[in-house]
Every structure is written in structure tokens, then in C-alpha cells.
Amino acid sequence: MSSSDPTVQPVPTSVVEQVDAADVTLSNPKRAVISLGSNLGNRLETLQGAIDALEDTPGLRVKAVSPVYETEPWGVEPGSQATYFNAVVLIKTTLPPSSLLERGHAIEEAFERVRDERWGPRTIDVDIVAYQDVVSDDPELTLPHPRAHERAFVLVPWNDVDPQAEVPGRGAVAGLLAAVGQEGVRVRTDLELRLPE
């Protein structure tokens, strides 16, 4: 496209700066928050593998990775399953939510996630917690995640990577976390997830 093309409008400087600040490789990316959890196999390796797989997705860049937290499984007898390792990842993406959901499912399948029981143990959970400020009750992908605002294992790591964050339609993450409390969510300072190169 030559600069003499009359259909090309100059882009306002503020927009250029926003895009540059977000990521030079994506044009007009959207912010999204993804929650990861694993309680089967090598949990840390699996979480890192999921982060690397997200980064390898065209049109997606991982911008921040939370510390690793260890939590008790939800909705099952105490001691009946291994503890979870949880983390939250902030991404910028040009993918629409539906494509991001497909990618999350593909990553789960790559790690042989089995969906045979509702609260069953899993190799990896990849949940889209929020996408920009979208509020949607689409049964395929409810945004924000319908239970994110009441789950400490999502709110604690999310607050770590983005202390100013808001759950669309629910309020500030920090405020929601204060209401829920951090009981049962232990930071594992001995473990670390890497931001992809």
C-alpha cells in the first residue's frame, strides 16, 4: 500500500502509542485474563507448558504471569485429590473470545485433560476469566467467568499481576478479594513460572 492511497487515514498519535505500548507485533489487541490450574502429573511443568502454548498462538502475546499458588481442590472430599497449582496469565490478543476459547480447549486436549467428572482431577484447566470489559451470558463462554469473583484461587494471583484490575460488572479485584479472603491459597515462592521469551 503506497502512502498516496487516499483510503489510508492517518492514525492518531495516541492510538499508535497505545498499540506500541501493548505490543508492536499485534494491531489493536484486546486484554484478556486466563486462569490456569493443574492437579495431576508434573503440575509446574504443565502450567509452564500451557503458558508457552498460549505464547505460541498466532495473534496472542503473554504479557504477565502470576506467582504459583497451591490450593485445595474445589467441591471434593479433603485429601481425596492432590492439591492444585494455580496461576493467572494476562494476555493481549487479536483473537475474538470464541477463538480464544477454542485455543484454550486445544491446549487442554494437548495435555490430555479428561472431562469425565465435574470436579474431577485434571492435568490442566485453561479458563478465560475476563476479556476486555465484555459481559456476556453466552452459555458457550460466559464473560466474565461466572464464578471468578468468588474464587480466591483466581482473585489472589490476578490481583498480583494487576492490582488495579476490575471484574467486568462485579467491581475491583482487590475489593472482591477482601470480601472472599485468601484462606487456603498459599503462595509457592519456591516455584516460578517464566514469561515466554
Side-chain angles (χ1 to χ4, degrees):
M1 220 185 264
S2 72
S3 55
S4 60
D5 183 338
T7 63
V8 176
Q9 295 296 317
V11 178
T13 315
S14 60
V15 174
V16 174
E17 284 169 359
Q18 283 170 353
V19 171
D20 283 350
D23 194 309
V24 290
T25 62
L26 299 179
S27 69
N28 193 21
K30 305 286 190 276
R31 290 173 292 104
V33 180
I34 292 182
S35 165
L36 302 174
S38 172
N39 79 330
L40 280 180
N42 186 327
R43 296 164 293 174
L44 186 69
E45 202 173 274
T46 300
L47 291 181
Q48 186 65 57
I51 292 165
D52 294 344
L54 285 168
E55 177 69 19
D56 288 343
T57 305
L60 190 159
R61 287 286 165 272
V62 175
K63 306 304 288 184
V65 178
S66 78
V68 179
Y69 284 87
E70 188 170 10
T71 61
E72 292 299 327
W74 188 264
V76 299
E77 278 292 303
S80 65
Q81 291 180 21
T83 55
Y84 270 87
F85 285 178
N86 293 97
V88 160
V89 181
L90 302 185
I91 65 167
K92 298 265 181 169
T93 185
T94 51
L95 299 175
S98 58
S99 301
L100 192 55
L101 180 66
E102 281 173 22
R103 182 60 178 152
H105 286 165
I107 292 170
E108 289 180 344
E109 280 163 29
F111 286 97
E112 298 177 346
R113 150 99 194 250
V114 185
R115 293 174 179 270
D116 55 0
E117 50 179 306
R118 178 142 190 224
W119 307 114
R122 59 234 15 207
T123 333
I124 187 73
D125 243 344
V126 181
D127 284 328
I128 302 169
V129 177
Y131 183 98
Q132 288 284 114
D133 302 319
V134 175
V135 176
S136 161
D137 56 9
D138 179 341
E140 288 294 304
L141 177 58
T142 306
L143 289 167
H145 190 287
R147 291 173 298 283
H149 66 281
E150 56 194 28
R151 290 185 165 173
F153 65 79
V154 172
L155 296 172
V156 173
W158 188 358
N159 189 58
D160 273 340
V161 283
D162 189 359
Q164 308 304 315
E166 301 259 336
V167 181
R170 296 283 184 181
V173 167
L176 293 165
L177 179 54
V180 170
Q182 301 196 19
E183 190 180 342
V185 181
R186 299 182 298 281
V187 68
R188 288 290 302 264
T189 50
D190 55 321
L191 303 175
E192 189 178 8
L193 293 166
R194 297 179 319 280
L195 198 59
E197 291 299 312

